Amino acid sequence: MNCPSPPRLPIAFTIPGDDRGLIHAKADMRAYARGVIQPHMFVYIQTPRGNVICQVRRVSDAGMVPQAEIIKEVRRLESAYTQALTTNIPDGIHPDPVLLEQTFKVLHLDPIGIINGKLDEYVGGVGYMQCVYRATSSEISQLYPEPKGGLRVGYVADGCHATEVAFSLAKPDLARHGVIYGKNGVGKTNALKLIALLNVTGPEPVPVIIFGHPDIGMDNPNDEGTKGLIGLNHPQIVHFGYEKLLRVHTSEIALDQVYQSYEWTQAQRYLIREVYDMDPATYVTTLASYDEHEDPLKLIFTSERSGSKRFPKVSRHGYATVRTVNVVKRRFRELARIVDDTASPLLPQIVQAVLDGKTILINTFDVEAEQQAILVKLILHRLQDVGIRSYGRTKALRLTVMIDEAQAFIEHVGEELTRFLKGCRKNGISLFLSTQSPSNQSLPPEVKNEIHNIIAFSLNPDAIPALAGMSPDLANLKEVITHRAIGQYMGVAAVVTRSQRLSVIVKFPRFEDELEKYLGSRAPDPEEPMTLIPEPDPQTVVSSPSGTKPDPPPPQLPLFSDLVDDAEEVS
């Protein structure tokens, strides 16, 4: 016999309130203490037009107990506690149950919409003394429909607990610029690796480049046993800078890149240009190791006098003063740390990997910040040129670039990043920046104006105004953003995307757990158990001419092609 499911029990009922746009509901103190009620959970109110689904914005204290009675009860409890220090009270210390019944919590509910077959806009209709119920996954899923072909990066959180409602980054989200905020160790790098894993193992992967720390690609046993993407052994994942330091050939560094990397005077630019014209293939190492005393290229200003004393002739040679040569030399020494004239060109390899649709991991943390910025700019500008050349073709470039700990990169790029963000999207490139703070020092206002997707993990309270300036919806989730990333709040982030009209709290799983699931699903089937071959019936055995049984056939050895197929399945 099928037993009917028990009816849902209300957790509160609506009462009058003075918050404009919010619905007030009275909840039981004991239900709040048990964790049944918590901020940012989803609830609904039954009305004749349908269920009005709301989110608890905040919880406040209320009651009908006079202030004098509260003070009197507090003093009684203090006296009982003092007495308990010297005598044993078997029943413990308890507040007056009559007073406890007269105190309650007020839920401030933000009406999101009304569900009546579909989600419609809420236009009112909730009165007083109407029951409030906790929402289920079926109601929450109508708020955040899962897009087709998106990356399922986590699950919608009810309060701080994950629900069964999946949250995905849609294709339009990945085609727009985004930012990931959070303090150290709260989940920024985990989110980047998770997005890369879901993309490369998905049905329609797009090329992705990740600049960042080595633990994006490599396992790190010192950081709670985190895993890297290289251990996935996926044919669509390539990496640079992990086995040896990143180096580019001199011919890959254009003059424009050099001019944009530092602030140069007109005389310094002129000197660099002259040396570049002498030998474009070695100009970087030439300037980095130039001996101003020997002056083999005659770069330093000199003058020669000739003719008679009455009609002297002065001829000048060279391109710059000794001071100018020394300044250029010092800066080119920094640039030469990423240059190797014997190295194979790096940029063509990266461009080809992008065109092949691969995920590219680039370790930029083993070089200084200035060289890191130069490398990233070299690669991004080359990719932007590839996107421009795709104009008018049937197949467009689609590339997502992620930069971990981007504040170091932004510091040495400045206004050039803003120009790149404005132009690269039309060239098929979107940027996801991971940084520790939403301050203007970490991310200039001009860059923030180009951001459409925001993922905010745990931050300090002083970061809320900057976040609210980027998206006012995030101000309503400040309790989640400012909560310590421990326990149930580990991996919890406030998210705003271009494809979803509502802000959302998302619980991101650990990358290591998702990696284990993928590797487990890819593992070969277990071998079938060995079965014994029954011995032949003596009556059915045909005798040989000599009267003996025929020799059994030789065992069938597997073909070499079968062994190769098995090895490919295991790998």
PDB file of all heavy atoms in Angstrom, residues 234-245:
ATOM      1  N   HIS A 234      44.891  14.169 -20.540  1.00  0.00           N
ATOM      2  CA  HIS A 234      43.922  14.336 -21.627  1.00  0.00           C
ATOM      3  C   HIS A 234      44.655  14.804 -22.885  1.00  0.00           C
ATOM      4  O   HIS A 234      45.504  15.702 -22.819  1.00  0.00           O
ATOM      5  CB  HIS A 234      42.850  15.352 -21.221  1.00  0.00           C
ATOM      6  CG  HIS A 234      41.612  15.285 -22.037  1.00  0.00           C
ATOM      7  ND1 HIS A 234      41.536  15.787 -23.319  1.00  0.00           N
ATOM      8  CD2 HIS A 234      40.390  14.756 -21.771  1.00  0.00           C
ATOM      9  CE1 HIS A 234      40.327  15.587 -23.802  1.00  0.00           C
ATOM     10  NE2 HIS A 234      39.603  14.964 -22.881  1.00  0.00           N
ATOM     11  N   PRO A 235      44.332  14.226 -24.038  1.00  0.00           N
ATOM     12  CA  PRO A 235      45.055  14.628 -25.259  1.00  0.00           C
ATOM     13  C   PRO A 235      44.813  16.078 -25.666  1.00  0.00           C
ATOM     14  O   PRO A 235      45.596  16.633 -26.432  1.00  0.00           O
ATOM     15  CB  PRO A 235      44.504  13.660 -26.319  1.00  0.00           C
ATOM     16  CG  PRO A 235      43.181  13.193 -25.779  1.00  0.00           C
ATOM     17  CD  PRO A 235      43.355  13.164 -24.299  1.00  0.00           C
ATOM     18  N   GLN A 236      43.735  16.696 -25.154  1.00  0.00           N
ATOM     19  CA  GLN A 236      43.431  18.075 -25.512  1.00  0.00           C
ATOM     20  C   GLN A 236      44.025  19.088 -24.539  1.00  0.00           C
ATOM     21  O   GLN A 236      43.696  20.273 -24.629  1.00  0.00           O
ATOM     22  CB  GLN A 236      41.912  18.281 -25.601  1.00  0.00           C
ATOM     23  CG  GLN A 236      41.269  17.635 -26.824  1.00  0.00           C
ATOM     24  CD  GLN A 236      41.747  18.268 -28.116  1.00  0.00           C
ATOM     25  OE1 GLN A 236      42.594  17.692 -28.826  1.00  0.00           O
ATOM     26  NE2 GLN A 236      41.240  19.439 -28.436  1.00  0.00           N
ATOM     27  N   ILE A 237      44.862  18.643 -23.615  1.00  0.00           N
ATOM     28  CA  ILE A 237      45.520  19.542 -22.660  1.00  0.00           C
ATOM     29  C   ILE A 237      47.014  19.577 -22.966  1.00  0.00           C
ATOM     30  O   ILE A 237      47.674  18.532 -22.980  1.00  0.00           O
ATOM     31  CB  ILE A 237      45.279  19.109 -21.207  1.00  0.00           C
ATOM     32  CG1 ILE A 237      43.797  19.212 -20.846  1.00  0.00           C
ATOM     33  CG2 ILE A 237      46.104  19.960 -20.244  1.00  0.00           C
ATOM     34  CD1 ILE A 237      43.476  18.798 -19.434  1.00  0.00           C
ATOM     35  N   VAL A 238      47.533  20.761 -23.219  1.00  0.00           N
ATOM     36  CA  VAL A 238      48.969  20.957 -23.420  1.00  0.00           C
ATOM     37  C   VAL A 238      49.443  22.002 -22.415  1.00  0.00           C
ATOM     38  O   VAL A 238      48.654  22.788 -21.890  1.00  0.00           O
ATOM     39  CB  VAL A 238      49.291  21.400 -24.862  1.00  0.00           C
ATOM     40  CG1 VAL A 238      48.906  20.326 -25.856  1.00  0.00           C
ATOM     41  CG2 VAL A 238      48.566  22.699 -25.198  1.00  0.00           C
ATOM     42  N   HIS A 239      50.723  22.004 -22.146  1.00  0.00           N
ATOM     43  CA  HIS A 239      51.233  22.930 -21.138  1.00  0.00           C
ATOM     44  C   HIS A 239      52.604  23.462 -21.539  1.00  0.00           C
ATOM     45  O   HIS A 239      53.373  22.793 -22.255  1.00  0.00           O
ATOM     46  CB  HIS A 239      51.312  22.246 -19.767  1.00  0.00           C
ATOM     47  CG  HIS A 239      52.102  20.964 -19.760  1.00  0.00           C
ATOM     48  ND1 HIS A 239      53.472  20.930 -19.584  1.00  0.00           N
ATOM     49  CD2 HIS A 239      51.711  19.684 -19.912  1.00  0.00           C
ATOM     50  CE1 HIS A 239      53.892  19.682 -19.619  1.00  0.00           C
ATOM     51  NE2 HIS A 239      52.847  18.897 -19.819  1.00  0.00           N
ATOM     52  N   PHE A 240      52.883  24.672 -21.071  1.00  0.00           N
ATOM     53  CA  PHE A 240      54.155  25.335 -21.317  1.00  0.00           C
ATOM     54  C   PHE A 240      54.649  25.938 -19.998  1.00  0.00           C
ATOM     55  O   PHE A 240      53.857  26.452 -19.208  1.00  0.00           O
ATOM     56  CB  PHE A 240      53.997  26.454 -22.361  1.00  0.00           C
ATOM     57  CG  PHE A 240      53.521  25.986 -23.702  1.00  0.00           C
ATOM     58  CD1 PHE A 240      52.159  25.950 -23.994  1.00  0.00           C
ATOM     59  CD2 PHE A 240      54.413  25.569 -24.666  1.00  0.00           C
ATOM     60  CE1 PHE A 240      51.705  25.527 -25.222  1.00  0.00           C
ATOM     61  CE2 PHE A 240      53.969  25.139 -25.912  1.00  0.00           C
ATOM     62  CZ  PHE A 240      52.610  25.114 -26.187  1.00  0.00           C
ATOM     63  N   GLY A 241      55.959  25.884 -19.778  1.00  0.00           N
ATOM     64  CA  GLY A 241      56.557  26.489 -18.599  1.00  0.00           C
ATOM     65  C   GLY A 241      56.544  25.613 -17.365  1.00  0.00           C
ATOM     66  O   GLY A 241      56.898  26.087 -16.278  1.00  0.00           O
ATOM     67  N   TYR A 242      56.154  24.361 -17.486  1.00  0.00           N
ATOM     68  CA  TYR A 242      56.138  23.470 -16.330  1.00  0.00           C
ATOM     69  C   TYR A 242      57.411  22.632 -16.243  1.00  0.00           C
ATOM     70  O   TYR A 242      57.933  22.405 -15.156  1.00  0.00           O
ATOM     71  CB  TYR A 242      54.914  22.546 -16.390  1.00  0.00           C
ATOM     72  CG  TYR A 242      53.633  23.248 -16.018  1.00  0.00           C
ATOM     73  CD1 TYR A 242      52.902  23.955 -16.963  1.00  0.00           C
ATOM     74  CD2 TYR A 242      53.157  23.224 -14.720  1.00  0.00           C
ATOM     75  CE1 TYR A 242      51.728  24.610 -16.624  1.00  0.00           C
ATOM     76  CE2 TYR A 242      51.993  23.879 -14.365  1.00  0.00           C
ATOM     77  CZ  TYR A 242      51.285  24.571 -15.324  1.00  0.00           C
ATOM     78  OH  TYR A 242      50.125  25.214 -14.970  1.00  0.00           O
ATOM     79  N   GLU A 243      57.899  22.160 -17.357  1.00  0.00           N
ATOM     80  CA  GLU A 243      59.114  21.353 -17.361  1.00  0.00           C
ATOM     81  C   GLU A 243      60.365  22.211 -17.494  1.00  0.00           C
ATOM     82  O   GLU A 243      61.430  21.827 -17.022  1.00  0.00           O
ATOM     83  CB  GLU A 243      59.036  20.333 -18.504  1.00  0.00           C
ATOM     84  CG  GLU A 243      57.877  19.347 -18.330  1.00  0.00           C
ATOM     85  CD  GLU A 243      57.741  18.419 -19.520  1.00  0.00           C
ATOM     86  OE1 GLU A 243      58.462  18.647 -20.523  1.00  0.00           O
ATOM     87  OE2 GLU A 243      56.929  17.480 -19.455  1.00  0.00           O
ATOM     88  N   LYS A 244      60.252  23.352 -18.144  1.00  0.00           N
ATOM     89  CA  LYS A 244      61.358  24.290 -18.245  1.00  0.00           C
ATOM     90  C   LYS A 244      60.789  25.695 -18.310  1.00  0.00           C
ATOM     91  O   LYS A 244      59.615  25.885 -18.620  1.00  0.00           O
ATOM     92  CB  LYS A 244      62.233  23.996 -19.463  1.00  0.00           C
ATOM     93  CG  LYS A 244      61.484  24.029 -20.786  1.00  0.00           C
ATOM     94  CD  LYS A 244      62.429  23.685 -21.929  1.00  0.00           C
ATOM     95  CE  LYS A 244      61.689  23.723 -23.269  1.00  0.00           C
ATOM     96  NZ  LYS A 244      62.611  23.397 -24.399  1.00  0.00           N
ATOM     97  N   LEU A 245      61.623  26.686 -18.008  1.00  0.00           N
ATOM     98  CA  LEU A 245      61.156  28.063 -17.952  1.00  0.00           C
ATOM     99  C   LEU A 245      60.689  28.542 -19.323  1.00  0.00           C
ATOM    100  O   LEU A 245      61.205  28.115 -20.354  1.00  0.00           O
ATOM    101  CB  LEU A 245      62.284  28.974 -17.448  1.00  0.00           C
ATOM    102  CG  LEU A 245      62.736  28.761 -15.997  1.00  0.00           C
ATOM    103  CD1 LEU A 245      63.894  29.686 -15.667  1.00  0.00           C
ATOM    104  CD2 LEU A 245      61.584  29.008 -15.030  1.00  0.00           C
TER     105      LEU A 245
END
